[in-house]
Coordinates of all heavy atoms in Angstrom, one line a residue:
M331 N 20.7 1.8 -61.6 CA 20.9 2.8 -62.7 C 19.6 3.5 -63.0 O 18.6 2.9 -63.3 CB 21.5 2.1 -63.9 CG 21.8 3.1 -65.1 SD 22.3 2.2 -66.6 CE 23.9 1.6 -66.0
N332 N 19.6 4.9 -62.8 CA 18.3 5.6 -63.1 C 18.2 5.9 -64.6 O 19.1 5.6 -65.3 CB 18.2 6.8 -62.2 CG 19.3 7.9 -62.6 OD1 19.7 8.0 -63.7 ND2 19.8 8.6 -61.5
A333 N 17.1 6.5 -64.9 CA 16.8 6.7 -66.3 C 17.8 7.6 -67.0 O 18.3 7.4 -68.1 CB 15.4 7.3 -66.5
Q334 N 18.2 8.7 -66.3 CA 19.2 9.6 -66.9 C 20.5 9.0 -67.0 O 21.2 9.2 -68.1 CB 19.3 10.9 -66.0 CG 20.1 12.0 -66.7 CD 19.6 12.4 -68.1 OE1 18.4 12.8 -68.2 NE2 20.4 12.3 -69.1
E335 N 21.0 8.2 -66.0 CA 22.2 7.5 -66.2 C 22.2 6.6 -67.3 O 23.2 6.4 -68.1 CB 22.6 6.8 -64.9 CG 22.9 7.7 -63.7 CD 23.0 6.9 -62.4 OE1 22.3 5.9 -62.2 OE2 23.8 7.4 -61.6
K336 N 21.1 5.9 -67.5 CA 21.0 5.0 -68.7 C 21.1 5.7 -70.0 O 21.7 5.2 -70.9 CB 19.6 4.3 -68.6 CG 19.4 3.1 -69.5 CD 18.2 2.4 -69.3 CE 18.0 1.2 -70.2 NZ 16.8 0.5 -69.9
L337 N 20.6 7.0 -70.0 CA 20.7 7.7 -71.3 C 22.1 8.3 -71.5 O 22.4 8.8 -72.6 CB 19.6 8.9 -71.2 CG 18.2 8.4 -71.3 CD1 17.2 9.6 -71.1 CD2 17.9 7.8 -72.7
D338 N 22.9 8.4 -70.5 CA 24.2 9.0 -70.6 C 25.3 8.0 -70.7 O 26.4 8.2 -70.1 CB 24.5 10.0 -69.4 CG 23.7 11.2 -69.6 OD1 23.2 11.5 -70.7 OD2 23.4 11.9 -68.6
R339 N 25.1 6.9 -71.3 CA 26.1 5.8 -71.4 C 27.1 6.1 -72.5 O 28.1 5.4 -72.6 CB 25.4 4.5 -71.7 CG 24.7 3.9 -70.5 CD 24.0 2.7 -70.9 NE 22.9 3.0 -71.8 CZ 22.2 2.1 -72.4 NH1 22.5 0.8 -72.4 NH2 21.2 2.4 -73.2
G340 N 26.9 7.2 -73.3 CA 27.8 7.5 -74.4 C 28.1 9.0 -74.5 O 27.5 9.8 -73.8
L341 N 29.0 9.3 -75.3 CA 29.4 10.6 -75.5 C 29.8 10.8 -77.0 O 30.5 9.9 -77.5 CB 30.6 11.0 -74.6 CG 31.2 12.4 -74.8 CD1 30.2 13.5 -74.4 CD2 32.5 12.5 -74.0
L342 N 29.4 11.8 -77.7 CA 29.7 12.0 -79.1 C 30.6 13.2 -79.3 O 30.3 14.3 -78.7 CB 28.4 12.2 -79.9 CG 28.6 12.4 -81.4 CD1 29.2 11.2 -82.1 CD2 27.3 12.8 -82.1
R343 N 31.6 13.1 -80.0 CA 32.5 14.2 -80.4 C 32.4 14.3 -81.9 O 32.5 13.4 -82.6 CB 34.0 13.9 -80.0 CG 34.2 13.8 -78.5 CD 34.1 15.2 -77.8 NE 34.5 15.1 -76.4 CZ 34.0 16.0 -75.5 NH1 33.2 16.9 -75.8 NH2 34.5 15.8 -74.3
V344 N 32.3 15.6 -82.3 CA 32.2 15.9 -83.8 C 33.4 16.7 -84.1 O 33.7 17.7 -83.5 CB 30.9 16.7 -84.1 CG1 30.9 17.0 -85.6 CG2 29.7 15.9 -83.7
D345 N 34.2 16.2 -85.1 CA 35.3 17.0 -85.7 C 34.7 17.9 -86.8 O 34.4 17.5 -87.9 CB 36.3 16.1 -86.3 CG 37.6 16.8 -86.7 OD1 37.5 18.0 -87.0 OD2 38.6 16.2 -86.8
E346 N 34.5 19.2 -86.4 CA 33.9 20.1 -87.4 C 34.7 20.3 -88.7 O 34.1 20.6 -89.7 CB 33.7 21.5 -86.7 CG 32.8 21.5 -85.5 CD 32.6 22.9 -84.9 OE1 33.1 23.8 -85.5 OE2 31.9 23.0 -83.9
A347 N 36.0 20.0 -88.6 CA 36.8 20.2 -89.9 C 36.5 19.0 -90.8 O 36.7 19.2 -92.0 CB 38.2 20.2 -89.5
E348 N 36.0 17.9 -90.3 CA 35.7 16.8 -91.2 C 34.2 16.6 -91.6 O 33.9 15.9 -92.6 CB 36.1 15.5 -90.5 CG 37.6 15.4 -90.1 CD 38.5 15.4 -91.4 OE1 38.1 14.9 -92.4 OE2 39.6 16.0 -91.3
C349 N 33.3 17.2 -90.9 CA 31.9 17.1 -91.1 C 31.5 17.9 -92.3 O 31.9 19.0 -92.5 CB 31.1 17.5 -89.9 SG 29.3 17.5 -90.1
K350 N 30.7 17.2 -93.2 CA 30.2 17.9 -94.4 C 28.7 18.2 -94.3 O 28.0 18.7 -95.2 CB 30.3 17.0 -95.6 CG 31.8 16.6 -95.9 CD 32.7 17.8 -96.1 CE 34.1 17.4 -96.5 NZ 34.9 16.8 -95.5
G351 N 28.1 18.0 -93.1 CA 26.8 18.5 -92.8 C 25.7 17.7 -93.6 O 24.6 18.3 -93.8
C352 N 26.0 16.5 -93.9 CA 25.0 15.7 -94.7 C 23.7 15.4 -93.9 O 22.7 15.1 -94.5 CB 25.6 14.5 -95.3 SG 26.0 13.2 -94.0
G353 N 23.8 15.3 -92.6 CA 22.7 15.0 -91.8 C 22.4 13.6 -91.6 O 21.4 13.2 -90.9
L354 N 23.1 12.7 -92.1 CA 22.8 11.2 -92.0 C 22.9 10.8 -90.5 O 22.1 10.0 -90.1 CB 23.8 10.4 -92.8 CG 23.7 10.5 -94.3 CD1 24.8 9.7 -95.0 CD2 22.3 10.0 -94.7
C355 N 23.8 11.3 -89.8 CA 23.9 11.0 -88.3 C 22.7 11.5 -87.6 O 22.2 10.8 -86.7 CB 25.2 11.5 -87.7 SG 25.3 13.3 -87.8
I356 N 22.2 12.6 -88.0 CA 21.0 13.2 -87.3 C 19.8 12.3 -87.5 O 19.0 12.0 -86.6 CB 20.7 14.6 -87.8 CG1 21.9 15.5 -87.5 CG2 19.4 15.1 -87.3 CD1 21.9 16.8 -88.2
E357 N 19.6 11.8 -88.8 CA 18.5 10.9 -89.1 C 18.7 9.6 -88.4 O 17.7 9.0 -88.0 CB 18.4 10.7 -90.6 CG 18.1 12.0 -91.4 CD 16.7 12.5 -91.0 OE1 15.8 11.6 -90.8 OE2 16.5 13.7 -90.8
A358 N 19.9 9.1 -88.3 CA 20.1 7.8 -87.8 C 20.1 7.7 -86.3 O 19.8 6.6 -85.7 CB 21.5 7.3 -88.3
C359 N 20.3 8.7 -85.5 CA 20.4 8.7 -84.1 C 19.1 8.3 -83.4 O 18.1 9.1 -83.5 CB 20.9 10.0 -83.6 SG 21.0 10.1 -81.8
P360 N 18.9 7.2 -82.8 CA 17.6 6.8 -82.2 C 17.1 7.8 -81.2 O 15.9 8.2 -81.2 CB 17.9 5.4 -81.5 CG 19.1 4.9 -82.3 CD 19.9 6.1 -82.7
P361 N 17.9 8.3 -80.2 CA 17.3 9.3 -79.2 C 17.3 10.7 -79.7 O 16.9 11.6 -79.0 CB 18.2 9.1 -78.0 CG 19.6 8.7 -78.6 CD 19.2 7.9 -79.8
K362 N 17.7 10.9 -81.0 CA 17.7 12.3 -81.6 C 18.4 13.3 -80.7 O 17.9 14.3 -80.3 CB 16.2 12.7 -81.8 CG 15.5 11.8 -82.7 CD 16.1 11.7 -84.1 CE 15.4 10.7 -85.0 NZ 16.1 10.4 -86.2
V363 N 19.7 13.0 -80.5 CA 20.5 14.0 -79.7 C 21.6 14.7 -80.5 O 22.5 15.2 -80.0 CB 21.2 13.2 -78.5 CG1 20.1 12.8 -77.5 CG2 22.0 12.1 -78.9
I364 N 21.4 14.6 -81.9 CA 22.3 15.3 -82.7 C 21.6 16.4 -83.6 O 20.5 16.1 -84.0 CB 23.1 14.4 -83.7 CG1 23.6 13.2 -83.0 CG2 24.2 15.1 -84.4 CD1 24.2 12.1 -83.9
G365 N 22.1 17.6 -83.7 CA 21.5 18.6 -84.5 C 22.5 19.2 -85.4 O 23.6 18.7 -85.5
L366 N 22.1 20.3 -86.1 CA 23.0 21.0 -87.0 C 23.4 22.3 -86.3 O 22.6 23.0 -85.7 CB 22.4 21.3 -88.3 CG 22.4 20.2 -89.4 CD1 21.7 20.6 -90.7 CD2 23.8 19.7 -89.7
S367 N 24.7 22.7 -86.5 CA 25.2 23.9 -86.0 C 24.5 25.1 -86.7 O 24.0 25.1 -87.8 CB 26.7 24.0 -86.2 OG 27.0 24.1 -87.6
E368 N 24.5 26.2 -86.0 CA 24.0 27.5 -86.6 C 25.1 28.1 -87.5 O 24.8 28.6 -88.5 CB 23.7 28.5 -85.4 CG 22.5 28.1 -84.6 CD 21.2 28.1 -85.4 OE1 21.0 28.9 -86.3 OE2 20.4 27.2 -85.2
G369 N 26.4 28.0 -87.0 CA 27.5 28.5 -87.8 C 28.0 27.5 -88.9 O 27.5 26.4 -89.0
L370 N 28.9 28.0 -89.6 CA 29.5 27.2 -90.7 C 30.9 26.8 -90.4 O 31.7 27.6 -89.8 CB 29.4 28.0 -92.0 CG 28.1 28.5 -92.4 CD1 28.2 29.4 -93.7 CD2 27.0 27.4 -92.6
N371 N 31.4 25.7 -90.9 CA 32.8 25.3 -90.8 C 33.6 25.9 -91.9 O 33.0 26.7 -92.8 CB 33.0 23.8 -90.6 CG 32.7 23.0 -91.9 OD1 32.4 23.6 -93.0 ND2 32.7 21.7 -91.8
H372 N 34.8 25.6 -92.0 CA 35.7 26.3 -93.0 C 35.3 25.9 -94.5 O 35.8 26.6 -95.4 CB 37.2 26.0 -92.7 CG 37.6 24.6 -92.8 ND1 37.3 23.7 -91.8 CD2 38.2 23.9 -93.8 CE1 37.8 22.5 -92.2 NE2 38.3 22.6 -93.3
Y373 N 34.5 24.8 -94.6 CA 34.1 24.5 -96.0 C 32.7 25.1 -96.3 O 32.2 25.0 -97.4 CB 33.9 22.9 -96.1 CG 35.2 22.2 -96.1 CD1 35.4 21.2 -95.1 CD2 36.1 22.3 -97.0 CE1 36.6 20.5 -95.0 CE2 37.3 21.6 -97.0 CZ 37.5 20.7 -96.0 OH 38.7 20.0 -96.0
G374 N 32.1 25.8 -95.3 CA 30.8 26.4 -95.5 C 29.7 25.5 -95.2 O 28.5 25.8 -95.6
Y375 N 29.9 24.4 -94.4 CA 28.9 23.5 -94.0 C 28.4 23.7 -92.6 O 29.2 24.1 -91.7 CB 29.3 22.0 -94.1 CG 29.7 21.5 -95.4 CD1 31.1 21.1 -95.7 CD2 28.8 21.5 -96.5 CE1 31.4 20.7 -96.9 CE2 29.2 21.0 -97.7 CZ 30.5 20.6 -98.0 OH 30.9 20.2 -99.2
R376 N 27.1 23.6 -92.4 CA 26.6 23.5 -91.0 C 26.9 22.1 -90.5 O 26.5 21.1 -91.2 CB 25.1 23.8 -91.0 CG 24.7 25.2 -91.3 CD 23.2 25.4 -91.3 NE 22.7 25.2 -90.0 CZ 21.4 25.1 -89.7 NH1 20.5 25.1 -90.7 NH2 20.9 24.9 -88.5
T377 N 27.6 22.0 -89.4 CA 28.1 20.7 -89.0 C 27.1 20.1 -88.0 O 26.3 20.7 -87.3 CB 29.5 20.8 -88.4 OG1 29.4 21.7 -87.2 CG2 30.4 21.5 -89.4
A378 N 27.3 18.8 -87.8 CA 26.6 18.1 -86.7 C 27.1 18.6 -85.4 O 28.2 18.9 -85.1 CB 26.9 16.6 -86.8
V379 N 26.1 18.6 -84.4 CA 26.4 19.1 -83.1 C 25.7 18.1 -82.1 O 24.5 17.9 -82.2 CB 25.9 20.5 -82.8 CG1 26.1 20.9 -81.4 CG2 26.6 21.5 -83.8
Y380 N 26.4 17.6 -81.1 CA 25.8 16.8 -80.1 C 25.1 17.7 -79.1 O 25.6 18.7 -78.7 CB 26.9 16.0 -79.4 CG 26.5 15.1 -78.3 CD1 25.3 14.4 -78.3 CD2 27.2 15.1 -77.1 CE1 24.9 13.6 -77.3 CE2 26.8 14.3 -76.0 CZ 25.7 13.6 -76.1 OH 25.2 12.8 -75.0
A381 N 23.9 17.2 -78.7 CA 23.1 18.0 -77.7 C 23.8 18.1 -76.4 O 23.4 19.0 -75.6 CB 21.7 17.4 -77.6
G382 N 24.7 17.2 -76.1 CA 25.4 17.2 -74.8 C 24.9 16.3 -73.8 O 25.6 16.0 -72.7
R383 N 23.7 15.7 -73.9 CA 23.1 14.7 -73.0 C 22.4 13.7 -73.9 O 21.9 14.0 -75.0 CB 22.2 15.3 -72.0 CG 22.7 16.3 -71.1 CD 23.8 15.8 -70.1 NE 23.4 14.7 -69.3 CZ 23.0 14.8 -68.0 NH1 22.9 16.0 -67.5 NH2 22.7 13.8 -67.3
G384 N 22.2 12.5 -73.3 CA 21.3 11.5 -73.9 C 21.9 10.5 -74.8 O 21.2 9.6 -75.3
C385 N 23.2 10.6 -75.1 CA 23.8 9.6 -76.0 C 23.9 8.3 -75.3 O 24.3 8.2 -74.1 CB 25.2 10.1 -76.4 SG 26.1 8.8 -77.4
T386 N 23.5 7.2 -76.0 CA 23.5 5.9 -75.4 C 24.8 5.1 -75.8 O 25.0 4.0 -75.3 CB 22.3 5.1 -75.9 OG1 22.4 4.9 -77.3 CG2 21.0 5.8 -75.5
G387 N 25.6 5.7 -76.7 CA 26.8 5.0 -77.1 C 26.6 3.9 -78.1 O 27.4 3.0 -78.3
C388 N 25.4 3.9 -78.8 CA 25.1 2.8 -79.7 C 26.0 2.8 -80.9 O 26.2 1.7 -81.5 CB 23.6 3.0 -80.1 SG 23.3 4.4 -81.2
G389 N 26.6 3.9 -81.3 CA 27.5 3.9 -82.4 C 26.8 3.9 -83.8 O 27.5 3.9 -84.8
I390 N 25.5 4.1 -83.9 CA 24.8 4.1 -85.1 C 25.2 5.3 -86.0 O 25.4 5.2 -87.2 CB 23.3 4.0 -84.9 CG1 22.9 2.7 -84.3 CG2 22.5 4.3 -86.2 CD1 21.4 2.5 -83.9
C391 N 25.4 6.4 -85.3 CA 25.8 7.6 -86.1 C 27.2 7.4 -86.7 O 27.4 7.8 -87.8 CB 25.8 8.8 -85.1 SG 26.9 8.6 -83.7
F392 N 28.0 6.8 -86.0 CA 29.4 6.5 -86.5 C 29.3 5.6 -87.7 O 30.0 5.9 -88.7 CB 30.2 5.8 -85.3 CG 31.5 5.3 -85.8 CD1 32.6 6.2 -85.9 CD2 31.7 4.0 -86.1 CE1 33.8 5.7 -86.3 CE2 32.9 3.5 -86.5 CZ 34.0 4.3 -86.6
L393 N 28.4 4.6 -87.7 CA 28.3 3.7 -88.8 C 27.6 4.5 -90.0 O 27.9 4.1 -91.2 CB 27.5 2.5 -88.4 CG 28.1 1.6 -87.4 CD1 27.2 0.5 -87.0 CD2 29.4 1.0 -87.9
A394 N 26.8 5.4 -89.7 CA 26.1 6.1 -90.8 C 26.9 7.2 -91.5 O 26.6 7.5 -92.6 CB 24.8 6.7 -90.2
C395 N 27.9 7.7 -90.8 CA 28.7 8.8 -91.3 C 29.6 8.4 -92.4 O 30.4 7.5 -92.2 CB 29.5 9.5 -90.1 SG 30.5 10.9 -90.7
P396 N 29.5 9.1 -93.6 CA 30.4 8.8 -94.7 C 31.8 9.4 -94.6 O 32.7 9.2 -95.4 CB 29.7 9.3 -95.9 CG 28.9 10.5 -95.4 CD 28.5 10.1 -93.9
E397 N 32.0 10.3 -93.6 CA 33.3 11.0 -93.5 C 34.2 10.5 -92.5 O 33.9 10.6 -91.3 CB 33.0 12.5 -93.2 CG 32.1 13.2 -94.2 CD 32.8 13.3 -95.6 OE1 34.1 13.3 -95.6 OE2 32.1 13.3 -96.6
P398 N 35.3 9.8 -92.9 CA 36.2 9.3 -91.9 C 36.7 10.3 -91.0 O 37.1 11.4 -91.4 CB 37.3 8.7 -92.8 CG 36.7 8.5 -94.1 CD 35.7 9.6 -94.3
G399 N 36.6 10.1 -89.7 CA 37.2 11.0 -88.7 C 36.2 12.0 -88.2 O 36.6 12.8 -87.3
A400 N 35.0 12.1 -88.8 CA 34.1 13.2 -88.4 C 33.5 12.9 -87.0 O 33.3 13.9 -86.3 CB 33.0 13.4 -89.5
L401 N 33.2 11.7 -86.7 CA 32.6 11.4 -85.5 C 33.4 10.4 -84.6 O 34.0 9.5 -85.2 CB 31.2 10.7 -85.7 CG 30.1 11.5 -86.4 CD1 28.9 10.7 -86.5 CD2 29.9 12.8 -85.6
T402 N 33.4 10.6 -83.4 CA 34.0 9.7 -82.4 C 32.9 9.4 -81.3 O 32.4 10.4 -80.8 CB 35.3 10.2 -81.8 OG1 36.2 10.5 -82.8 CG2 35.9 9.2 -80.8
V403 N 32.6 8.2 -81.1 CA 31.7 7.8 -80.1 C 32.4 7.1 -78.9 O 33.2 6.2 -79.1 CB 30.6 6.8 -80.6 CG1 29.7 6.3 -79.5 CG2 29.8 7.4 -81.8
Y404 N 32.2 7.7 -77.7 CA 32.7 7.1 -76.5 C 31.6 6.4 -75.8 O 30.5 6.9 -75.7 CB 33.3 8.2 -75.6 CG 34.5 8.9 -76.2 CD1 34.2 10.1 -77.0 CD2 35.8 8.5 -76.1 CE1 35.3 10.8 -77.6 CE2 36.8 9.2 -76.6 CZ 36.6 10.3 -77.4 OH 37.6 11.0 -78.0
R405 N 31.9 5.2 -75.4 CA 30.9 4.4 -74.7 C 31.4 4.0 -73.3 O 32.5 3.6 -73.1 CB 30.6 3.1 -75.4 CG 29.6 2.2 -74.9 CD 29.4 1.0 -75.7 NE 29.0 1.3 -77.0 CZ 29.1 0.5 -78.1 NH1 29.7 -0.7 -77.9 NH2 28.7 0.8 -79.3
A406 N 30.5 4.3 -72.3 CA 30.9 4.0 -70.9 C 31.0 2.5 -70.7 O 30.2 1.7 -71.2 CB 29.8 4.6 -70.0
V407 N 32.1 2.1 -70.1 CA 32.3 0.7 -69.7 C 32.2 0.5 -68.2 O 33.1 1.1 -67.5 CB 33.7 0.2 -70.3 CG1 33.9 -1.2 -69.9 CG2 33.8 0.4 -71.8
L408 N 31.2 -0.1 -67.8 CA 31.0 -0.3 -66.4 C 31.7 -1.7 -66.0 O 31.3 -2.7 -66.5 CB 29.6 -0.3 -66.0 CG 28.8 1.0 -66.3 CD1 27.4 0.8 -66.0 CD2 29.5 2.1 -65.6
K409 N 32.6 -1.6 -65.1 CA 33.3 -2.8 -64.7 C 32.7 -3.3 -63.4 O 32.4 -2.5 -62.5 CB 34.8 -2.6 -64.5 CG 35.5 -2.2 -65.8 CD 37.0 -2.0 -65.6 CE 37.7 -1.6 -66.9 NZ 39.1 -1.3 -66.7
R410 N 32.6 -4.6 -63.2 CA 32.2 -5.2 -62.0 C 33.3 -5.0 -60.9 O 34.5 -5.1 -61.3 CB 31.9 -6.7 -62.1 CG 30.7 -6.9 -63.1 CD 30.7 -8.4 -63.4 NE 29.7 -8.6 -64.4 CZ 28.6 -9.3 -64.3 NH1 28.3 -9.8 -63.1 NH2 27.7 -9.5 -65.2
P411 N 32.9 -4.8 -59.7 CA 33.9 -4.8 -58.6 C 34.7 -6.1 -58.6 O 34.2 -7.2 -58.8 CB 33.1 -4.6 -57.3 CG 31.8 -4.1 -57.8 CD 31.6 -4.6 -59.2
V412 N 36.0 -5.9 -58.4 CA 36.9 -7.1 -58.3 C 37.4 -7.3 -56.9 O 37.6 -6.3 -56.2 CB 38.0 -7.0 -59.3 CG1 37.5 -7.0 -60.7 CG2 38.9 -5.8 -59.0
A413 N 37.7 -8.5 -56.5 CA 38.3 -8.8 -55.2 C 39.7 -8.2 -55.1 O 40.4 -8.2 -56.1 CB 38.3 -10.3 -55.0
V414 N 40.0 -7.7 -54.0 CA 41.3 -7.1 -53.7 C 42.3 -8.2 -53.5 O 42.1 -9.1 -52.7 CB 41.3 -6.2 -52.5 CG1 42.8 -5.7 -52.2 CG2 40.4 -5.0 -52.8
D415 N 43.4 -8.2 -54.3 CA 44.4 -9.2 -54.2 C 45.6 -8.5 -53.5 O 46.4 -7.8 -54.1 CB 44.9 -9.7 -55.5 CG 45.9 -10.8 -55.4 OD1 46.5 -11.0 -54.3 OD2 46.2 -11.4 -56.5
R416 N 45.7 -8.7 -52.2 CA 46.7 -8.0 -51.4 C 48.1 -8.5 -51.7 O 49.1 -7.8 -51.5 CB 46.4 -8.2 -49.9 CG 45.1 -7.6 -49.5 CD 44.9 -7.7 -48.0 NE 43.5 -7.3 -47.6 CZ 43.1 -6.0 -47.6 NH1 43.9 -5.1 -47.9 NH2 41.9 -5.8 -47.3
T417 N 48.3 -9.7 -52.3 CA 49.6 -10.2 -52.6 C 50.2 -9.4 -53.8 O 51.4 -9.3 -54.0 CB 49.6 -11.7 -53.0 OG1 48.8 -11.8 -54.1 CG2 49.1 -12.5 -51.8
L418 N 49.3 -8.8 -54.6 CA 49.8 -8.0 -55.7 C 49.6 -6.5 -55.5 O 49.7 -5.7 -56.4 CB 49.0 -8.4 -57.0 CG 49.2 -9.9 -57.4 CD1 48.3 -10.1 -58.6 CD2 50.7 -10.1 -57.8
G419 N 49.3 -6.1 -54.3 CA 49.2 -4.7 -54.0 C 47.7 -4.2 -54.1 O 47.5 -3.1 -53.9
G420 N 46.9 -5.1 -54.5 CA 45.4 -4.8 -54.5 C 45.0 -4.2 -55.8 O 45.8 -3.6 -56.6
Q421 N 43.7 -4.4 -56.2 CA 43.1 -3.8 -57.3 C 41.8 -3.2 -56.9 O 41.2 -3.5 -55.9 CB 42.7 -4.9 -58.4 CG 44.0 -5.6 -58.9 CD 43.6 -6.8 -59.8 OE1 42.7 -7.6 -59.5 NE2 44.1 -6.8 -61.0
S422 N 41.4 -2.2 -57.7 CA 40.1 -1.5 -57.3 C 39.2 -1.6 -58.5 O 39.6 -1.7 -59.6 CB 40.4 -0.1 -56.9 OG 41.0 0.6 -58.0
A423 N 37.9 -1.5 -58.1 CA 36.9 -1.4 -59.2 C 36.9 -0.1 -59.9 O 37.3 0.9 -59.3 CB 35.5 -1.7 -58.6
G424 N 36.4 0.0 -61.1 CA 36.4 1.3 -61.8 C 35.6 1.2 -63.0 O 35.1 0.2 -63.4
G425 N 35.6 2.3 -63.7 CA 34.9 2.4 -65.0 C 35.8 3.1 -66.0 O 36.9 3.4 -65.7
G426 N 35.2 3.2 -67.2 CA 36.0 3.9 -68.2 C 35.2 4.1 -69.4 O 34.0 3.9 -69.4
M427 N 35.8 4.6 -70.5 CA 35.2 4.8 -71.7 C 35.8 4.1 -72.8 O 37.1 4.2 -73.0 CB 35.2 6.3 -72.0 CG 34.5 7.2 -71.0 SD 32.7 7.0 -70.9 CE 32.2 8.1 -72.2
A428 N 35.1 3.4 -73.6 CA 35.6 2.8 -74.8 C 35.4 3.8 -76.0 O 34.6 4.7 -75.9 CB 34.9 1.5 -75.1
C429 N 36.1 3.6 -77.1 CA 36.1 4.6 -78.1 C 36.0 3.9 -79.5 O 36.6 2.9 -79.7 CB 37.3 5.5 -78.0 SG 37.6 6.5 -79.5
A430 N 35.2 4.5 -80.4 CA 35.1 4.0 -81.7 C 35.4 5.2 -82.6 O 34.7 6.3 -82.5 CB 33.8 3.4 -82.1
S431 N 36.4 5.2 -83.5 CA 36.6 6.3 -84.4 C 37.1 5.7 -85.7 O 37.6 4.6 -85.8 CB 37.6 7.2 -83.8 OG 38.9 6.6 -83.6
N432 N 37.0 6.5 -86.8 CA 37.4 6.1 -88.1 C 38.9 6.2 -88.2 O 39.6 6.9 -87.6 CB 36.8 6.9 -89.2 CG 35.3 6.6 -89.4 OD1 35.0 5.4 -89.4 ND2 34.5 7.6 -89.6
Ligands
SF4_494 S1 26.1 6.9 -80.4 FE1 23.9 6.5 -80.8 S2 22.8 7.7 -79.3 FE2 25.0 8.5 -79.3 S3 24.8 10.2 -80.8 FE3 25.4 8.4 -82.0 S4 23.5 7.5 -82.7 FE4 23.0 9.0 -81.1
SF4_495 S1 26.9 12.0 -91.0 FE1 29.1 12.7 -90.7 S2 29.4 14.2 -92.3 FE2 27.1 13.8 -92.2 S3 26.4 15.5 -90.7 FE3 26.9 13.7 -89.5 S4 29.0 13.9 -88.8 FE4 28.7 15.3 -90.5

C-alpha cells in the first residue's frame, strides 16, 4: 500500500440540506480534508465540503457533528484473499466500503 492509497481509505459525503456550517468537523478532521463551501444551502449556511482526497475513514468528523444525517463516512474494507471452494462454486477475494451514518 503506497502513501496515497493509505490516505484514501475513506470517503466523506456531506448532506448539504442537513449541515448547519458549524465547522466542528473541519476542526476535528486530522488530515484537514474538509472545508466550507463558497455557496449557501437553503438555510443560508456555508456547508462542509470534502476535499475529495485524503480521507482516512477515521470517523472523527462523524462523531463531532451535532447534526444527525449531515455526514456519512465510508471506510474501505480490505478483505484477505480466500481459498476457492469449488464444491460451492468458488469464492473470490474482494473489497468493499463500510458505512457510518446517523
Ligand atoms: S473520516 Fe476522518 S479523515 Fe475522513 S473526513 Fe472525517 S475526520 Fe477527516
Ligand atoms: S460538524 Fe456537521 S453541521 Fe457542523 S459543519 Fe460539519 S457537517 Fe456541518
Side-chain angles (χ1 to χ4, degrees):
M331 183 181 294
N332 63 36
Q334 189 57 55
E335 288 171 330
K336 190 173 182 179
L337 289 174
D338 286 339
R339 286 175 293 167
L341 176 67
L342 180 66
R343 294 287 187 208
V344 180
D345 185 336
E346 294 184 6
E348 300 296 329
C349 176
K350 302 300 185 293
C352 68
L354 291 176
C355 59
I356 297 169
E357 293 298 319
C359 177
K362 301 300 179 193
V363 294
I364 312 174
L366 277 181
S367 66
E368 292 296 324
L370 308 177
N371 69 5
H372 63 284
Y373 290 120
Y375 297 117
R376 292 178 65 191
T377 64
V379 176
Y380 175 45
R383 299 297 302 262
C385 175
T386 64
C388 69
I390 292 174
C391 57
F392 173 79
L393 295 174
C395 179
E397 299 298 331
L401 296 181
T402 303
V403 176
Y404 297 90
R405 183 179 299 157
V407 177
L408 300 178
K409 296 181 180 176
R410 294 169 189 245
V412 296
V414 173
D415 182 347
R416 297 185 189 284
T417 62
L418 297 176
Q421 296 176 309
S422 60
M427 300 291 278
C429 169
S431 62
N432 285 322

